[in-house]
Amino acid sequence: MDPDLVLILGAGPAGLSAAFELTRKDRRCALVEKNSSVGGLSRTLCYDGFLTDTGPHRFFSQNSSLYGFIAGLLGDRWIQVERLTRFYINGRFYLYPVDLKEILLRMERGVSFKIARDFILERAGKLFPGRPVISFEDKVVSDFGRTLAEIVMLGYTEKIWGLPCSGISPDWITQRIKNLSVQEIIQNAFFPRKNRPKTLVDRFFYPDRGIGRIFEEMKERVTAVDGNTLNLNSYPVKIAHGNNRISEVLASNGGRSFAFEPGYLISSIPVTEFVELLDPHPPGDILRAARSLRFRSHTALFITLDKPRASNNQWIYFPDRGVAFGRVTEPKNWSAAMAPADKTSLLIEFFCWHGDEVWNAAPEDLLERALPVLEKSGLAGKKEVMRYYVHREKYAYPVYDLHYKRTAETVKNYLGSFKNLRLIGRSGRFRYNNMDHAMETGMLAARSILEDKQYDLEEAGSEQAYFERGDVFLRQEAGDE
Ligand SMILES: Cc1cc2nc3c(=O)[nH]c(=O)nc-3n(C[C@H](O)[C@H](O)[C@H](O)COP(=O)(O)OP(=O)(O)OC[C@H]3O[C@@H](n4cnc5c(N)ncnc54)[C@H](O)[C@@H]3O)c2cc1C
């Protein structure tokens, strides 16, 4: 037994934040990370001199201290970017977040009429409440009217989740956009405030060489301290417990096994995997609950292009159900350092289930599927493509179906009975957290150990005013995810 040691599973934003906080207070920690680099979903990949995040990652937080924290880590490598993002719908680009006025003026007249009609009918319906809001579809249709919801939200959301919107919990949208004010949308569209100060709606912070820099930098600081260890390409194979405590974690790097008997265990690995590793196994109802929790996966096609720019947008949404992918990002529009001066690149995101046809598709198949739309939209032609690469993430999105909450609570309540265990992060808590909240859960878990005090880790990410007002409309893709 090594009571002073805190073992951390996963070196993504949550795990590294826990390690950072412990290190700041001179508490020894060891990290076990299955990848060959840190950062998890928030890491930056390098392909032949071109950089890209695994998916576009914009840092945003209501927690201003996190900005100061990252600025302290990155200094002048934490740059400000003027935001420009769009939708591509039926052959045309539209501003994102939705500008209602632009949509009404530029869409076909018949469509604009239907948008306005449905919107007004839904508003009028609010005077006679009664229709229950059970699903995500109920929520957005009642907020925006059927036609607008269909065009910009429902198709895209179904692509992300692979489920009909009637089977998705409204928690997803309420967790992300609690302060959505339809009144504000109308006011912004038709009576915009003059000289509105620039806010994080219009610009955002980003590390000059990709989001992963933040976590690389944290890793440097943690591993510089004697006694701390980072075990890459390693994963737990058994988590032994008894008397409501985790007693031993057996890990492997594929060849060699090594054991830890930590005073505390902090885990950010998918909670579904964690449960399977427990020895002895949890009761049957807990295993069944854990096995019914699902994650949506992410397949990203990265193409390098023989031209200096594809567009001036950071990212573009493709909500049409007929388009196989959901979003296209141009990393160079986030930071010039992401691509050589005379070249650019695009990251094309497909949402899928682990092991399905998209997950298994060959890179050239994915390129074939993407090219007609890239060509039609003017982003890239076949002859401009130099090389292409595919990156896959199995645990991208915890799926918020209509039953997820009770099921996840069953599992988390059981794991809560282990006194020296803390669950953190997005997959670790099965919670739709962004980077800032993942970091907060890691920091809070570390503090709860250092101060021997309980913090409510579930609370991170549920503050009322999470997103800045005005930026909220149609952020159903969850914090720009
Ligand atoms: C496409 C996409 C776009 C996104 N965009 C944004 C955005 O714009 N802004 C934002 O704030 N957030 C965004 N996010 C969310 C952000 O990526 C996550 O909130 C954040 O990375 C969660 O951090 P984490 O440490 O909890 O989990 P992860 O990033 O998943 O890290 C978990 C770590 O645990 C490791 N691990 C997993 N299993 C094991 C195992 N068995 N053994 C050992 N190690 C293991 C993983 O390799 C990983 O390093 C986006 C996510 C996606 C998928």
Side-chain angles (χ1 to χ4, degrees), residues 134-149:
I134 294 167
S135 67
F136 174 84
E137 178 167 348
D138 299 337
K139 173 83 183 126
V140 294
V141 168
S142 101
D143 279 350
F144 308 114
R146 164 76 51 191
T147 306
L148 185 58

Side-chain angles (χ1 to χ4, degrees), residues 92-294:
R92 282 191 175 178
F93 289 98
Y94 296 88
L95 287 173
Y96 167 88
V98 161
D99 178 331
L100 198 54
K101 192 166 160 191
E102 185 201 22
I103 290 259
L104 291 176
L105 287 176
R106 291 188 55 223
M107 289 232 162
E108 270 173 45
R109 206 170 289 168
V111 177
S112 300
F113 170 76
K114 280 191 192 155
I115 291 174
R117 181 199 62 192
D118 291 359
F119 189 80
I120 291 164
L121 285 177
E122 285 297 335
R123 295 286 94 204
K126 292 255 187 298
L127 301 173
F128 312 100
R131 208 172 63 198
V133 171
I134 294 167
S135 67
F136 174 84
E137 178 167 348
D138 299 337
K139 173 83 183 126
V140 294
V141 168
S142 101
D143 279 350
F144 308 114
R146 164 76 51 191
T147 306
L148 185 58
E150 269 296 337
I151 293 173
V152 292
M153 299 186 88
L154 297 180
Y156 185 75
T157 304
E158 285 179 11
K159 278 192 217 187
I160 289 203
W161 295 106
L163 296 175
C165 288
S166 56
I168 300 171
S169 164
D171 284 4
W172 183 41
I173 193 165
T174 47
Q175 188 184 325
R176 321 302 309 190
I177 58 173
K178 282 206 170 97
N179 271 5
L180 182 70
S181 151
V182 173
Q183 242 172 324
E184 222 167 293
I185 294 161
I186 297 172
Q187 180 172 338
N188 284 343
F190 300 105
F191 313 103
R193 273 195 291 143
K194 292 218 170 75
N195 305 324
R196 185 171 65 91
K198 287 223 162 200
T199 67
L200 289 172
V201 177
D202 313 293
R203 55 167 87 113
F204 58 91
F205 283 96
Y206 188 70
D208 65 347
R209 292 179 64 77
I211 202 73
R213 291 295 313 173
I214 301 174
F215 308 105
E216 287 291 335
E217 199 57 50
M218 287 170 80
K219 175 198 85 177
E220 294 301 324
R221 311 273 174 115
V222 167
T223 53
V225 172
D226 273 352
N228 286 346
T229 55
L230 168 62
N231 304 276
L232 293 172
N233 303 307
S234 302
Y235 46 88
V237 289
K238 188 170 86 173
I239 301 172
H241 64 95
N243 298 326
N244 290 334
R245 294 186 71 81
I246 302 295
S247 48
E248 187 190 52
V249 176
L250 190 64
S252 164
N253 62 8
R256 189 175 64 86
S257 295
F258 40 103
F260 299 90
E261 291 185 20
Y264 283 91
L265 176 63
I266 297 182
S267 175
S268 70
I269 70 172
V271 64
T272 46
E273 283 196 8
F274 187 93
V275 166
E276 299 288 344
L277 294 171
L278 284 172
D279 181 25
H281 257 18
D285 58 325
I286 304 299
L287 275 179
R288 273 192 299 282
R291 286 174 187 164
S292 69
L293 293 173
R294 287 183 293 172

Side-chain angles (χ1 to χ4, degrees), residues 14 33 35 41-42 56-58 273 425-426 433-435 481:
E33 165 56 53
N35 284 331
L41 293 171
S42 310
H57 271 72
R58 186 177 80 107
E273 283 196 8
R426 175 158 156 135
N433 279 346
N434 267 349
M435 284 178 287
E481 282 184 39

